[in-house]
Amino acid sequence: MASRSDTFENLLLMTDSYKTSHYRQYPPGTEYVYSYFESRGGKFSETCFFGLQYFIKRYLEGVVVTQEKIDEAEPIINAHMGGEHFNRAGWEHILHKCGGKLPISIKAVPEGTIVPVKNVLFTLVNTDPACYWLSNYLETLLVQVWYPMTVATSSREQKKIIAKYFDSTGCPRSEGSPELAFKLHDFGYRGVSSVESAGLGGAAHLINFMGTDTLAGILLTKRFYLEPGMPGFSIPAAEHSTITSWGREREVDAFRNMLTAYPTGLVAVVSDSYNIYEACEKLWGTELRQMILDRDGTLVVRPDSGEPKVIVVEVLTILEKQFGSTTNGKGFKMLPPQIRVIQGDGISY
């Protein structure tokens, strides 16, 4: 009996049910099935290819067919499909002739490559003529590469927009553009369907940006892509529970505590627990103003509600009134370096 942790570890059961019957449906004499994967088009004209290596290393590499897995899969498939549909002979061929390793060859463009749509991204073919049925048996699993590819592609398109306005408004860039790399932060861990999805989506985001709170993406990148360094970064930041635990009358003390607990560097504080306008004008902009300006670092004020295109401008206007601003070379206003704003809600593309 498989343990609870082994529930989704049997490759023989990682396919669409009807594919278990396909080995009987190919023409007699079929020896090789060569399949390909492409983006046929959609919202964007290009695709950022990413994620295949994870699926190969996680599910396909090494000995993945065992007698125990064959014996587990057969009664499940036959009961589920209503007949003797399980391909025991095919799987035992892989077990005995191939040592339980999959006789397949996969070719792909390098991950991270930008590929115009309507082009092949990777191909798969069986290398043992007796396993012609295996190529498309694996389709169900491998098409899940669409998810990290979609995140990487969407993230890149957003980065292009950010870069356009970053440059057109006169924001300075140093070599390698590290400033741009932190302008779209990933908080996707809580919004996806599983830890695996968080890892894949989080890693895909790191193709384009370096700011993330999705630790699963860090772990996946280091384990399955052998990243030796740290691929993404975060900072100390408040959430509503840590601010409201002080009570409304002591919100200023909660804010002061954040500045005291983290006396240097970046620190982000959610500021709309009660009234974002009062927080910016009276608390940050008056009572704590000098503490912010004297601090060796940057406070990031986070409005976490409201219409982004409205609330961000309103918050910036209040902070400019309280802290002042300078004008850059392209005529755009800049807050003092000790204070910035991040919008954390309602961001979509």
mmCIF file of all heavy atoms in Angstrom, residues 51-62 106 108 111 142:
data_model
loop_
_atom_site.group_PDB
_atom_site.id
_atom_site.type_symbol
_atom_site.label_atom_id
_atom_site.label_comp_id
_atom_site.label_asym_id
_atom_site.label_seq_id
_atom_site.Cartn_x
_atom_site.Cartn_y
_atom_site.Cartn_z
ATOM 1 N N GLY A 51 10.735 26.031 -17.514
ATOM 2 C CA GLY A 51 10.063 25.060 -16.658
ATOM 3 C C GLY A 51 10.265 23.602 -17.005
ATOM 4 O O GLY A 51 10.023 22.727 -16.174
ATOM 5 N N LEU A 52 10.694 23.301 -18.223
ATOM 6 C CA LEU A 52 10.822 21.909 -18.647
ATOM 7 C C LEU A 52 11.825 21.140 -17.780
ATOM 8 O O LEU A 52 11.595 19.981 -17.421
ATOM 9 C CB LEU A 52 11.250 21.846 -20.116
ATOM 10 C CG LEU A 52 11.493 20.444 -20.685
ATOM 11 C CD1 LEU A 52 10.217 19.609 -20.654
ATOM 12 C CD2 LEU A 52 12.047 20.523 -22.105
ATOM 13 N N GLN A 53 12.927 21.780 -17.444
ATOM 14 C CA GLN A 53 13.965 21.084 -16.669
ATOM 15 C C GLN A 53 13.413 20.574 -15.342
ATOM 16 O O GLN A 53 13.776 19.482 -14.892
ATOM 17 C CB GLN A 53 15.151 22.020 -16.433
ATOM 18 C CG GLN A 53 16.297 21.378 -15.658
ATOM 19 C CD GLN A 53 17.567 22.181 -15.741
ATOM 20 O OE1 GLN A 53 18.053 22.461 -16.836
ATOM 21 N NE2 GLN A 53 18.128 22.564 -14.602
ATOM 22 N N TYR A 54 12.539 21.366 -14.720
ATOM 23 C CA TYR A 54 11.944 20.913 -13.462
ATOM 24 C C TYR A 54 11.186 19.609 -13.666
ATOM 25 O O TYR A 54 11.352 18.652 -12.899
ATOM 26 C CB TYR A 54 11.000 21.971 -12.893
ATOM 27 C CG TYR A 54 10.121 21.415 -11.791
ATOM 28 C CD1 TYR A 54 10.611 21.260 -10.497
ATOM 29 C CD2 TYR A 54 8.812 21.016 -12.056
ATOM 30 C CE1 TYR A 54 9.816 20.721 -9.492
ATOM 31 C CE2 TYR A 54 8.012 20.481 -11.058
ATOM 32 C CZ TYR A 54 8.519 20.332 -9.775
ATOM 33 O OH TYR A 54 7.734 19.790 -8.796
ATOM 34 N N PHE A 55 10.331 19.546 -14.678
ATOM 35 C CA PHE A 55 9.510 18.359 -14.898
ATOM 36 C C PHE A 55 10.361 17.145 -15.255
ATOM 37 O O PHE A 55 10.055 16.019 -14.839
ATOM 38 C CB PHE A 55 8.462 18.632 -15.974
ATOM 39 C CG PHE A 55 7.351 19.517 -15.484
ATOM 40 C CD1 PHE A 55 7.376 20.879 -15.712
ATOM 41 C CD2 PHE A 55 6.288 18.984 -14.769
ATOM 42 C CE1 PHE A 55 6.366 21.696 -15.242
ATOM 43 C CE2 PHE A 55 5.273 19.787 -14.293
ATOM 44 C CZ PHE A 55 5.310 21.147 -14.521
ATOM 45 N N ILE A 56 11.428 17.355 -16.005
ATOM 46 C CA ILE A 56 12.319 16.243 -16.342
ATOM 47 C C ILE A 56 12.986 15.704 -15.079
ATOM 48 O O ILE A 56 12.971 14.492 -14.813
ATOM 49 C CB ILE A 56 13.374 16.686 -17.370
ATOM 50 C CG1 ILE A 56 12.709 16.972 -18.722
ATOM 51 C CG2 ILE A 56 14.455 15.612 -17.527
ATOM 52 C CD1 ILE A 56 13.657 17.555 -19.759
ATOM 53 N N LYS A 57 13.566 16.603 -14.286
ATOM 54 C CA LYS A 57 14.288 16.165 -13.105
ATOM 55 C C LYS A 57 13.350 15.642 -12.012
ATOM 56 O O LYS A 57 13.687 14.706 -11.290
ATOM 57 C CB LYS A 57 15.147 17.313 -12.563
ATOM 58 C CG LYS A 57 16.372 17.629 -13.413
ATOM 59 C CD LYS A 57 17.185 18.753 -12.803
ATOM 60 C CE LYS A 57 18.513 18.925 -13.533
ATOM 61 N NZ LYS A 57 19.422 17.804 -13.249
ATOM 62 N N ARG A 58 12.203 16.241 -11.902
ATOM 63 C CA ARG A 58 11.278 15.861 -10.827
ATOM 64 C C ARG A 58 10.557 14.550 -11.108
ATOM 65 O O ARG A 58 10.324 13.741 -10.208
ATOM 66 C CB ARG A 58 10.250 16.991 -10.626
ATOM 67 C CG ARG A 58 9.116 16.681 -9.654
ATOM 68 C CD ARG A 58 9.637 16.560 -8.232
ATOM 69 N NE ARG A 58 8.529 16.328 -7.320
ATOM 70 C CZ ARG A 58 7.973 15.145 -7.071
ATOM 71 N NH1 ARG A 58 8.441 14.066 -7.702
ATOM 72 N NH2 ARG A 58 6.977 15.016 -6.227
ATOM 73 N N TYR A 59 10.191 14.312 -12.375
ATOM 74 C CA TYR A 59 9.313 13.183 -12.674
ATOM 75 C C TYR A 59 9.880 12.140 -13.639
ATOM 76 O O TYR A 59 9.456 10.980 -13.606
ATOM 77 C CB TYR A 59 7.984 13.693 -13.246
ATOM 78 C CG TYR A 59 7.189 14.522 -12.281
ATOM 79 C CD1 TYR A 59 7.076 15.907 -12.455
ATOM 80 C CD2 TYR A 59 6.533 13.941 -11.203
ATOM 81 C CE1 TYR A 59 6.334 16.673 -11.568
ATOM 82 C CE2 TYR A 59 5.788 14.709 -10.311
ATOM 83 C CZ TYR A 59 5.690 16.074 -10.500
ATOM 84 O OH TYR A 59 4.962 16.837 -9.619
ATOM 85 N N LEU A 60 10.793 12.530 -14.520
ATOM 86 C CA LEU A 60 11.192 11.636 -15.607
ATOM 87 C C LEU A 60 12.593 11.068 -15.475
ATOM 88 O O LEU A 60 12.920 10.070 -16.114
ATOM 89 C CB LEU A 60 11.079 12.370 -16.955
ATOM 90 C CG LEU A 60 9.728 13.014 -17.274
ATOM 91 C CD1 LEU A 60 9.779 13.661 -18.658
ATOM 92 C CD2 LEU A 60 8.597 11.999 -17.196
ATOM 93 N N GLU A 61 13.429 11.670 -14.688
ATOM 94 C CA GLU A 61 14.833 11.281 -14.616
ATOM 95 C C GLU A 61 15.041 10.031 -13.751
ATOM 96 O O GLU A 61 14.403 9.856 -12.722
ATOM 97 C CB GLU A 61 15.634 12.457 -14.041
ATOM 98 C CG GLU A 61 17.130 12.281 -14.051
ATOM 99 C CD GLU A 61 17.842 13.514 -13.528
ATOM 100 O OE1 GLU A 61 17.799 13.764 -12.303
ATOM 101 O OE2 GLU A 61 18.427 14.246 -14.346
ATOM 102 N N GLY A 62 15.959 9.184 -14.188
ATOM 103 C CA GLY A 62 16.335 8.023 -13.387
ATOM 104 C C GLY A 62 15.332 6.889 -13.468
ATOM 105 O O GLY A 62 14.530 6.792 -14.404
ATOM 106 N N ILE A 106 14.411 13.948 -25.383
ATOM 107 C CA ILE A 106 13.770 15.262 -25.393
ATOM 108 C C ILE A 106 14.791 16.289 -25.869
ATOM 109 O O ILE A 106 15.919 16.335 -25.378
ATOM 110 C CB ILE A 106 13.260 15.642 -23.989
ATOM 111 C CG1 ILE A 106 12.178 14.654 -23.532
ATOM 112 C CG2 ILE A 106 12.708 17.069 -23.987
ATOM 113 C CD1 ILE A 106 11.695 14.885 -22.106
ATOM 114 N N ALA A 108 15.137 20.551 -26.627
ATOM 115 C CA ALA A 108 14.439 21.794 -26.307
ATOM 116 C C ALA A 108 15.339 22.996 -26.539
ATOM 117 O O ALA A 108 16.575 22.892 -26.511
ATOM 118 C CB ALA A 108 13.978 21.772 -24.849
ATOM 119 N N GLU A 111 16.341 27.093 -21.775
ATOM 120 C CA GLU A 111 15.333 27.756 -20.942
ATOM 121 C C GLU A 111 15.705 29.224 -20.738
ATOM 122 O O GLU A 111 16.874 29.577 -20.590
ATOM 123 C CB GLU A 111 15.186 27.031 -19.617
ATOM 124 C CG GLU A 111 14.710 25.608 -19.818
ATOM 125 C CD GLU A 111 13.929 25.059 -18.648
ATOM 126 O OE1 GLU A 111 13.413 25.838 -17.826
ATOM 127 O OE2 GLU A 111 13.822 23.822 -18.561
ATOM 128 N N LEU A 142 3.799 16.773 -19.321
ATOM 129 C CA LEU A 142 4.705 17.758 -19.893
ATOM 130 C C LEU A 142 4.006 19.047 -20.330
ATOM 131 O O LEU A 142 4.638 20.104 -20.369
ATOM 132 C CB LEU A 142 5.468 17.147 -21.071
ATOM 133 C CG LEU A 142 6.526 16.109 -20.659
ATOM 134 C CD1 LEU A 142 7.155 15.469 -21.886
ATOM 135 C CD2 LEU A 142 7.606 16.752 -19.790
#
